[in-house]
Amino acid sequence: MLDDQIQIGIVGTGYAAKLRAESFGRDERSRVVAIAGHTPEKTATFSQTYQAQAVDSWQQLVAREDIDLVVICTINSDHGAIAKAALQNHKHVVVEYPLALDVAAAEEIIALAKTQNRLLHVEHIELLGGLHQALKQYLPQVGSPFYARYSTMNPQRPAPRRWTYNQEMFGFPLCGALSRIHRLTDLFGTVETISCQNRYWGTDPESFFQVCLCTAQIRFTSGAIAEVSYGKGETLWQNERKFEVHADKGGLIFDKDDGVLIQAEETTKIEVGSRRGLFAKDTGMVLDHLYMGTPLYVSPTESLYALKVADAARRSAQIKETIVM
């Protein structure tokens, strides 16, 4: 627990970094002092906006003595290396999921945080959002779940040449988009088996792709089965964000921001809270934890378990066999 204002260093200049910088800037307990980005020009502009110093590299940022907390908002493939280096320099760490694309690296980082007695917070704001909170609230009313389906499809024409469309930088789809798995493990518990198929279209020599589609079937130790689908790119034709749960006493259907509870006697509309303001909420909880010791809403171990499931999906797609967890 801290008494003095906490000094923040941010790695990244994208959307998540912007929301983090704004949130820390609004809280008198924190101050953004340095930012490391991908290009000097964008980093300089971003830093000026938040009255922070632009630094040449994340390696320089994590070594600075005037930084207490490093916030990692950059490409997925760099998360692990930056988090490890920050902890080795005795910094607290906040990192957007995934903690790392490699399970062994993630395990090593979690162990290092414990050794260094530093905060390691892997952001999973999907757990704070209106959809997930509604799922948690109404799930007991439908009895024992036996089937769930979670599908997110994002048509984009043309596909942007961004890191999120690069196999190496983003990682295997269900690892890079780890929230798809973590939402399921948070709701339904431990996994027994997973079977997965994954395909890319239009991949160039630098690993940028035009389309990806990943589907997995997960059997939980409770007996429930979930199907998760994640796709984005040029040859998907309908935007979809749908989550449904079927149980012995009813069902829950969420289609974008509309939700219903279906039971034998009646169908009830569910109000789904907004997704706005979740980064600010997460940031405030991090500062509350550092200053007052209040518990956070998710642990690195829970994020690690979701990553293990996602990595099992990767191996299943690779060898074309079901993986037993």
Side-chain angles (χ1 to χ4, degrees):
M1 292 185 286
L2 303 174
D3 296 319
D4 299 327
Q5 188 181 55
I6 190 165
Q7 309 297 296
I8 311 294
I10 298 177
V11 181
T13 56
Y15 180 69
K18 173 181 177 290
L19 295 180
R20 289 290 188 191
E22 290 174 351
S23 298
F24 283 119
R26 285 193 296 264
D27 196 310
E28 62 184 12
R29 297 174 296 179
S30 58
R31 183 170 72 94
V32 179
V33 298
I35 294 167
H38 181 62
T39 63
E41 297 80 8
K42 190 171 183 180
T43 305
T45 302
F46 190 94
S47 300
Q48 289 171 6
T49 302
Y50 300 103
Q51 292 81 51
Q53 183 179 348
V55 297
D56 293 336
S57 68
W58 64 259
Q59 290 90 342
Q60 290 182 20
L61 184 140
V62 301
R64 287 176 61 128
E65 294 185 358
D66 60 343
I67 287 176
D68 305 305
L69 169 65
V70 173
V71 182
I72 303 167
C73 312
T74 188
I75 62 175
N76 290 346
S77 55
D78 284 352
H79 286 187
I82 301 170
K84 181 179 178 180
L87 289 165
Q88 288 173 333
N89 281 275
H90 308 286
K91 313 301 184 191
H92 299 292
V93 172
V94 171
V95 55
E96 315 304 332
Y97 65 78
L99 172 56
L101 292 177
D102 178 75
V103 170
E107 290 176 324
E108 181 184 356
I109 294 163
I110 291 172
L112 179 60
K114 292 178 180 178
T115 301
Q116 298 284 52
N117 193 27
R118 289 295 183 272
L119 168 67
L120 172 62
H121 172 58
V122 186
E123 166 269 306
H124 277 280
I125 58 171
E126 75 281 356
L127 302 184
L128 300 173
L131 169 61
H132 199 77
Q133 292 299 309
L135 279 163
K136 298 275 276 192
Q137 179 184 347
Y138 285 94
L139 200 57
Q141 297 188 32
V142 297
S144 299
F146 57 83
Y147 175 74
R149 186 176 80 90
Y150 185 21
S151 177
T152 53
M153 298 289 162
N154 183 20
Q156 286 195 289
R157 289 182 291 276
R161 194 174 174 82
R162 297 185 67 250
W163 68 268
T164 53
Y165 276 73
N166 184 284
Q167 293 183 42
E168 301 299 325
M169 297 179 193
F170 187 76
F172 181 76
L174 294 180
C175 294
L178 188 62
S179 63
R180 275 67 178 177
I181 295 293
H182 194 221
R183 194 189 292 280
L184 293 168
T185 55
D186 184 69
L187 290 171
F188 304 120
T190 55
V191 171
E192 187 176 282
T193 63
I194 185 165
S195 177
C196 182
Q197 297 182 69
N198 181 56
R199 184 178 174 186
Y200 297 99
W201 288 263
T203 305
D204 68 16
E206 294 181 323
S207 295
F208 288 94
F209 57 83
Q210 293 175 323
V211 190
C212 81
L213 179 63
C214 187
T215 64
Q217 186 181 78
I218 305 169
R219 177 180 288 275
F220 293 86
T221 54
S222 66
I225 293 172
E227 292 181 329
V228 58
S229 299
Y230 174 85
K232 59 188 177 186
E234 294 183 3
T235 54
L236 298 173
W237 304 100
Q238 178 67 43
N239 185 283
E240 182 176 56
R241 178 165 51 88
K242 191 170 185 179
F243 197 111
E244 57 186 82
V245 179
H246 299 267
D248 58 356
K249 295 180 181 178
L252 296 166
I253 311 295
F254 294 89
D255 190 351
K256 295 186 173 65
D257 295 321
D258 298 319
V260 291
L261 165 65
I262 303 173
Q263 295 172 304
E265 304 81 11
E266 61 180 341
T267 296
T268 307
K269 185 177 180 180
I270 297 173
E271 293 295 329
V272 178
S274 172
R275 292 185 291 168
R276 295 177 63 86
L278 297 183
F279 274 104
K281 186 173 183 179
D282 178 280
T283 302
M285 294 176 81
V286 166
L287 291 172
D288 288 345
H289 177 79
L290 287 171
Y291 278 93
M292 298 179 288
T294 54
L296 287 163
Y297 65 94
V298 65
S299 71
T301 303
E302 291 166 331
S303 181
L304 174 64
Y305 183 73
L307 182 64
K308 288 179 177 179
V309 175
D311 188 67
R314 178 191 62 79
R315 290 184 282 124
S316 172
Q318 188 176 55
I319 66 176
K320 298 179 173 61
E321 292 182 8
T322 297
I323 299 291
V324 178
M325 293 292 293

